[in-house]
Amino acid sequence: MRAAVRVHADRGVDVIKIMASGGNLTPGTRQDLAQFAPADLRAAVDEAHRLGLPVTAHAHGTPAIADAVAAGVDGMEHVSFWSAEGIDPAPEDLVALIVARRIAVGATLGFLPVPGLVPPPEVLARLPLMIANTRRLAAAGATIVAGTDAGIAPIKPPDVARQAIPQLLELGYSRAEALRRLTSVAAGVCGVADRKGRLAPGFDADILAVDGDPLSDPDAIHRIRAVYAAGRAVA
């Protein structure tokens, strides 16, 4: 585990991601089960932190979430509390630890409605309870951003982040706070808050220009008029 982290560090990565549990798209995977022993996770996190790298854990199953938190990860992706039969209620003590340790939660939010396409049945059936758990995390004060899974399917196109706003509102955030979760808060989680995520002097001029005020008009975010990356117009 330590050697694998060092190999990635030598190649210049900015973050270590570890599969504390599997995912729904891998055939034969049981995402309710932990994929590593707790000591292995701790070894990976210790080595990454020794090298100055943050660690985020792909964690669906409740045991994997608990192990990742105990190992000292900086972030977790999905955090669905997946079980073999459904979704576990998020344990209060685990929620408290996630909040107290300021572990960033990349919640799986946002999808583009595509006629004839829906999420996998096992995901669709669990979705209400997954949202309920994420709402509990948000209410407790967890750092939550939209981990969109962009690119994995037509309902998750590369620009799916803006489709996450309705679900962020469903979690209890105001419209302004939902936009921050996609911009300034997300920049902080990614470690680039000193130059991205806000319109301010000295920051990269990464700008999405829309027709209308997204704070009062929910559809304005989809009426894109211009995109700038580091001040340069993107076709």
Side-chain angles (χ1 to χ4, degrees):
M1 297 296 286
R2 292 180 183 275
V5 170
R6 287 195 295 272
V7 166
H8 285 74
D10 289 344
R11 293 176 179 175
V13 303
D14 299 305
V15 61
I16 296 294
K17 181 178 180 182
I18 189 166
M19 297 292 289
S21 73
N24 191 64
L25 295 181
T26 305
T29 292
R30 289 277 305 276
Q31 60 263 48
D32 56 300
L33 302 178
Q35 290 204 154
F36 291 100
D40 292 336
L41 282 179
R42 284 196 298 272
V45 173
D46 288 348
E47 190 67 12
H49 286 172
R50 185 183 72 81
L51 297 168
L53 292 172
V55 180
T56 189
H58 179 283
H60 274 296
T62 304
I65 295 169
D67 289 348
V69 170
V73 298
D74 305 284
M76 293 187 293
E77 310 309 319
H78 305 300
V79 197
S80 61
F81 298 96
W82 194 284
S83 68
E85 302 300 328
I87 296 293
D88 294 328
E92 290 185 12
D93 57 341
L94 197 49
V95 170
L97 280 175
I98 291 170
V99 174
R101 296 181 183 179
R102 298 182 179 180
I103 298 171
V105 174
T108 316
L109 305 174
F111 65 92
L112 177 69
V114 177
L117 293 179
V118 294
E122 58 269 34
V123 173
L124 207 56
R126 289 169 164 88
L127 197 55
L129 290 176
M130 290 165 63
I131 291 290
N133 276 335
T134 309
R135 190 184 296 116
R136 286 186 60 194
L137 283 164
T143 300
I144 294 177
V145 294
T148 61
D149 263 358
I152 65 167
I155 63 171
K156 295 277 191 179
D159 64 344
V160 74
R162 55 197 167 97
Q163 306 288 348
I165 293 174
Q167 286 179 300
L168 286 164
L169 298 177
E170 192 178 346
L171 296 180
Y173 295 118
S174 67
R175 192 165 296 279
E177 187 58 33
L179 290 173
R180 292 188 190 104
R181 299 281 146 179
L182 296 172
T183 53
S184 57
V185 177
V189 167
C190 293
V192 293
D194 61 330
R195 63 186 189 275
K196 293 187 181 293
R198 295 191 296 129
L199 298 178
F203 275 58
D204 295 343
D206 298 332
I207 302 168
L208 173 70
V210 301
D211 181 4
D213 180 1
L215 294 180
S216 58
D217 179 2
D219 292 329
I221 197 72
H222 305 299
R223 296 195 297 270
I224 297 170
R225 292 295 175 261
V227 177
Y228 293 87
R232 297 190 174 203
V234 178

